[in-house]
Amino acid sequence: MEDDKVAKFIDTRDEQVLEDCTKAQLQLIADHFGIKLKSSKVGERRLEIVAQLRARDEALREERPQTPASAGENLSIGGSSRGSSGSRRSVKLEIMKLQLEAQLKREEQEREAQLRREEAQLKREEAQLKREEREAEALLRWEEPEHEAQLKHEEREAEALLRWEEPEHEAQLKHEERETEAQLKREEREAQLKREDHKAEGFFDHFERVATLKKWPRAEWAELIQGRLTGEAREAYNMLDVKECTNYEAVKRAVLLSFKLTPECYRKRIRECARSPGKSYAETARDMERKFLK
């Protein structure tokens, strides 16, 4: 007894039914129509069945207007021979046509999939570049305006203090002036050191992100950054021996130590961390988290 799918295809000739047929069902369909299958693969067997049935239909359409109603047996045999030869050619052409259509469809699907992958990669790269731009802008804005305002306020107070004292206190005023200047210089020096510390930390963080994104070999990182080192960082680099100069971690450690960025320094920063005027609690928490990770 024939399978339901086999019977359905025999009745309807619906090619979509063949897509769901197994190898055994395809063999039953081929036996029913007297088709000799050459291939052992399911996909190619479907193509052979469709091609041969189409070729037969075309051969029948060509034979009908040429065959007289009173034709004898010999003419039928001759026509069958010519039809068989034409049918074989038509089958080959149909198979080639179907194979070409399937190949074109596969190539189109592969191109679409490749385009989707490239678009996704471009979106990821754009998002990464935007993040880096935001981080660079934040690094440039790290100085707090209120610190500069405080320095100016102290300078004005020092000038006012010098003006109101009596002449006999000029020596004392000069002494206080020198102390004030020294204090200002120390504060400026500390502020400068803090800026350099932040720049050093930000430089290495930014460089490592860019190097990772660009997939630069890690063995070349030390060589890539040595040309950007100046001042104390350059002196720390020059103190290393030749072998350490090629080790990125050794160079980074030496540069950070030159700015006194030791574990104890970061512990002290955490202990002294407090919310500054104008900063939200969320920003303060993020600062503490970064210092804790350092």
Side-chain angles (χ1 to χ4, degrees), residues 79-92:
S80 175
S81 175
R82 288 190 301 273
S84 176
S85 175
S87 176
R88 284 194 297 272
R89 287 194 298 272
S90 298
V91 167
K92 291 180 180 179

Side-chain angles (χ1 to χ4, degrees), residues 28-291:
L28 290 174
I29 293 172
D31 293 341
H32 176 81
F33 289 103
I35 297 172
K36 186 176 181 181
L37 299 175
K38 298 179 181 179
S39 177
S40 61
K41 296 181 179 179
V42 176
E44 293 181 359
R45 286 192 167 200
R46 292 193 188 103
L47 294 176
E48 289 184 20
I49 291 172
V50 172
Q52 293 201 34
L53 289 177
R54 286 184 183 178
R56 287 185 182 182
D57 292 341
E58 291 179 3
L60 288 174
R61 284 195 296 271
E62 292 175 358
E63 290 174 3
R64 281 172 188 162
Q66 297 174 1
T67 304
S70 60
E73 183 178 358
N74 291 336
L75 288 175
S76 297
I77 294 172
S80 175
S81 175
R82 288 190 301 273
S84 176
S85 175
S87 176
R88 284 194 297 272
R89 287 194 298 272
S90 298
V91 167
K92 291 180 180 179
L93 290 174
E94 283 295 329
I95 291 174
M96 291 173 64
K97 180 181 177 182
L98 291 171
Q99 289 175 341
L100 180 59
E101 290 175 354
Q103 178 66 22
L104 291 174
K105 186 175 182 180
R106 284 194 299 271
E107 291 177 355
E108 183 178 358
Q109 291 173 348
E110 290 175 358
R111 284 195 298 270
E112 291 177 354
Q114 180 64 24
L115 287 174
R116 286 194 295 270
R117 288 193 295 270
E118 291 177 356
E119 289 176 357
Q121 180 64 23
L122 286 175
K123 288 180 179 179
R124 286 194 295 270
E125 291 179 356
E126 288 176 359
Q128 180 65 22
L129 289 174
K130 288 180 180 178
R131 284 195 297 272
E132 290 181 358
E133 288 176 359
R134 289 195 295 270
E135 290 171 358
E137 291 174 359
L139 184 63
L140 293 174
R141 293 195 304 268
W142 76 269
E143 283 197 62
E144 298 178 358
E146 57 267 22
H147 181 68
E148 295 179 358
Q150 179 66 23
L151 290 176
K152 290 180 180 179
H153 176 68
E154 290 177 357
E155 289 176 358
R156 287 194 297 270
E157 288 183 345
E159 291 173 359
L161 183 62
L162 290 173
R163 285 195 300 268
W164 76 269
E165 290 283 352
E166 296 179 358
E168 59 267 21
H169 297 146
E170 288 182 359
Q172 180 65 24
L173 289 174
K174 290 180 180 179
H175 175 70
E176 292 177 356
E177 182 181 7
R178 286 194 296 269
E179 288 185 348
T180 302
E181 290 177 355
Q183 178 65 22
L184 289 174
K185 288 180 180 179
R186 285 194 297 270
E187 291 179 357
E188 290 177 358
R189 178 59 179 169
E190 290 177 358
Q192 183 181 1
L193 289 175
K194 287 182 179 180
R195 288 195 294 270
E196 291 177 353
D197 293 351
H198 283 282
K199 288 180 180 178
E201 294 171 337
F203 169 76
F204 284 107
D205 292 342
H206 184 68
F207 172 78
E208 290 172 3
R209 289 192 186 97
V210 174
T212 303
L213 180 64
K214 299 293 185 181
K215 298 181 180 179
W216 293 339
R218 194 175 182 85
E220 298 177 5
W221 286 12
E223 181 180 353
L224 291 172
I225 67 169
Q226 61 89 17
R228 303 297 301 275
L229 301 178
T230 59
E232 295 181 1
R234 187 67 182 180
E235 292 178 4
Y237 176 82
N238 292 334
M239 292 295 292
L240 299 174
D241 58 32
V242 176
K243 185 176 181 181
E244 289 177 330
C245 287
T246 61
N247 188 328
Y248 173 76
E249 292 300 331
V251 173
K252 178 180 177 182
R253 183 167 56 253
V255 172
L256 292 179
L257 287 175
S258 69
F259 292 102
K260 297 186 170 78
L261 295 176
T262 62
E264 181 56 31
C265 173
Y266 291 112
R267 296 190 190 101
K268 183 179 178 182
R269 288 185 184 180
I270 292 175
R271 290 194 296 269
E272 297 175 353
C273 187
R275 187 173 72 89
S276 303
K279 272 194 175 182
S280 66
Y281 289 99
E283 291 174 340
T284 304
R286 283 195 293 271
D287 289 343
M288 294 184 69
E289 181 182 5
R290 282 194 293 269
K291 292 173 182 177

